[in-house]
């Protein structure tokens, strides 16, 4: 009975409602207008994929499986990429994706007694403390010595993260690097760092797709699946756009590329 109730609720409340409404309208218009009905049914099918784990298996899981988590024997520096901050009544706090990355990075940095590099600026249109500054303050509260934290508070996207951190790393001759980022974002992050000749050990965290066995829940719309699929699509489009811009612009006009690559928000 509970299963039936959950299924009905899933299709009567958003995001499932965006599957149910065009589906009903499409079926009701089949006799009057097959063209309109077909478009509505196609829209319902698209929304179904986008709001269920069906979409996560298509868009998210392949990205999250691009790299596996491995811990090297030695480490000079741990990089953590920002993913957004939020202003609360008492100050600033890290958004959930950033916090998950941050916690893992701090633990690694403390275990290896390594440098912690926090990266993330303030996006255009926002007047708030930068992600890197918020992370640096929190790192001190978590027991990371201030002299062990390097700050990049200028980057506004993944490309700039890699560019600015590359300068920090090369200036201090840091060799053994661990890169901490959300699993869905790791492929684009690694591509960015490779463009600046930085070899890093990927350390994916913050998984969005349930990698366990399938269940009936995977086939009903949920807010979690919708959120994961939007991030997965964002990364897939970002990867395609990145490859195009790198091929066309990076070798001949790096300043132009930097501007165009602002499409890639680090809020993955």
């Amino acid at each position: 009975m509970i299963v039936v109730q959950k299924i009905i609720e899933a299709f009567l409340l958003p995001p499932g409602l965006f599957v149910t409404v065009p589906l009903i309208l499409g079926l009701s218009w089949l006799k009057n207008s097959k063209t309109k009905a077909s478009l509505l049914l196609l829209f319902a099918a698209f929304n179904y994929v986008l709001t269920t784990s069906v979409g996560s298996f298509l868009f998210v899981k392949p990205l999250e499986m691009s790299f596996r988590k491995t811990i090297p024997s030695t480490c000079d520096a741990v990089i953590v990429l920002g993913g957004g901050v939020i202003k609360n009544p008492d100050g600033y706090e890290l958004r959930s994706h950033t916090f998950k990355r941050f916690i893992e990075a701090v633990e690694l940095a403390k275990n290896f007694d390594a440098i912690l590099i926090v990266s993330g600026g303030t996006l255009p249109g926002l007047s708030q403390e930068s992600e890197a500054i918020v992370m640096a303050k929190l790192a001190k509260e978590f027991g990371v010595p201030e002299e062990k934290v390097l700050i990049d508070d200028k980057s506004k996207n993944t490309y700039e993260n890699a560019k600015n951190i590359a300068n920090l790393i090369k200036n201090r001759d840091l060799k053994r690097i661990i890169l901490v980022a959300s699993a869905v974002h790791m492929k684009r992050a690694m591509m960015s760092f490779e463009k600046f000749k930085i070899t890093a050990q990927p350390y994916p965290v913050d998984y969005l797709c349930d990698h366990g066995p399938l269940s009936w829940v995977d086939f009903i719309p949920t807010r979690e699946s919708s959120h994961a699929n939007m991030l997965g699509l964002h990364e897939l489009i970002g990867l395609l756009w990145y490859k195009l811009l790198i091929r066309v612009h990076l070798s001949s006009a790096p300043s132009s590329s930097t501007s165009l690559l602002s499409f890639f928000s680090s809020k993955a």
Side-chain angles (χ1 to χ4, degrees), residues 82-84 101 123-124 131 155-159 161 185 188 231 234-235 238 260-268:
R101 304 174 191 180
L123 293 177
E131 298 169 348
S155 299
K156 294 178 175 60
N157 53 60
T158 306
Y159 178 85
N161 287 141
H185 183 57
R188 182 152 59 96
L231 290 177
H234 171 78
E235 288 299 322
L260 287 168
L261 282 163
S262 62
F263 174 84
F264 303 116
S265 168
S266 60
K267 297 179 181 293

Side-chain angles (χ1 to χ4, degrees), residues 13 22 46 53 55 58 61 79 110 121 141 184 189 217 223 232:
L13 297 174
F46 175 75
S53 291
L58 293 173
K61 190 173 183 177
I79 300 167
K110 292 173 72 173
E141 295 180 18
V184 72
V217 179
R223 290 188 298 272

Side-chain angles (χ1 to χ4, degrees), residues 72-112:
S73 57
T74 59
C75 174
D76 296 326
V78 179
I79 300 167
V80 56
L81 304 183
V85 298
I86 187 170
K87 181 74 164 63
N88 63 38
D90 302 310
Y92 290 96
E93 64 181 50
L94 303 177
R95 290 188 181 274
S96 59
H97 294 298
T98 311
F99 189 73
K100 291 175 184 177
R101 304 174 191 180
F102 171 80
I103 288 296
E104 297 272 6
V106 165
E107 184 177 354
L108 287 169
K110 292 173 72 173
N111 289 343
F112 283 107

Side-chain angles (χ1 to χ4, degrees), residues 172-221:
R172 289 161 178 79
D173 196 32
L174 302 171
K175 301 295 185 183
R176 295 172 292 273
I177 312 296
I178 297 177
L179 174 60
V180 180
S182 296
V184 72
H185 183 57
M186 184 59 77
K187 188 169 185 177
R188 182 152 59 96
M190 288 293 291
M191 287 178 63
S192 299
F193 278 86
E194 288 169 1
K195 292 301 175 182
F196 291 96
K197 312 301 180 185
I198 298 298
T199 301
Q201 175 71 47
Y203 196 85
V205 299
D206 183 30
Y207 285 82
L208 300 172
C209 183
D210 188 344
H211 292 254
L214 284 172
S215 74
W216 62 270
V217 179
D218 294 310
F219 297 96
I220 63 172

Side-chain angles (χ1 to χ4, degrees), residues 156-173:
K156 294 178 175 60
N157 53 60
T158 306
Y159 178 85
E160 291 183 3
N161 287 141
K163 178 181 178 180
N164 294 335
I165 291 174
N167 293 330
L168 291 175
I169 288 173
K170 291 173 182 176
N171 290 340
R172 289 161 178 79
D173 196 32

Side-chain angles (χ1 to χ4, degrees), residues 203-257:
Y203 196 85
V205 299
D206 183 30
Y207 285 82
L208 300 172
C209 183
D210 188 344
H211 292 254
L214 284 172
S215 74
W216 62 270
V217 179
D218 294 310
F219 297 96
I220 63 172
T222 64
R223 290 188 298 272
E224 292 78 13
S225 293
S226 181
H227 176 66
N229 292 337
M230 291 302 293
L231 290 177
L233 285 174
H234 171 78
E235 288 299 322
L236 290 172
I237 294 172
L239 283 167
L240 292 173
W241 187 243
Y242 181 95
K243 290 177 181 179
L244 174 64
L245 293 181
I246 290 299
R247 181 176 298 176
V248 174
H249 298 283
L250 188 57
S251 60
S252 59
S255 60
S256 174
S257 296

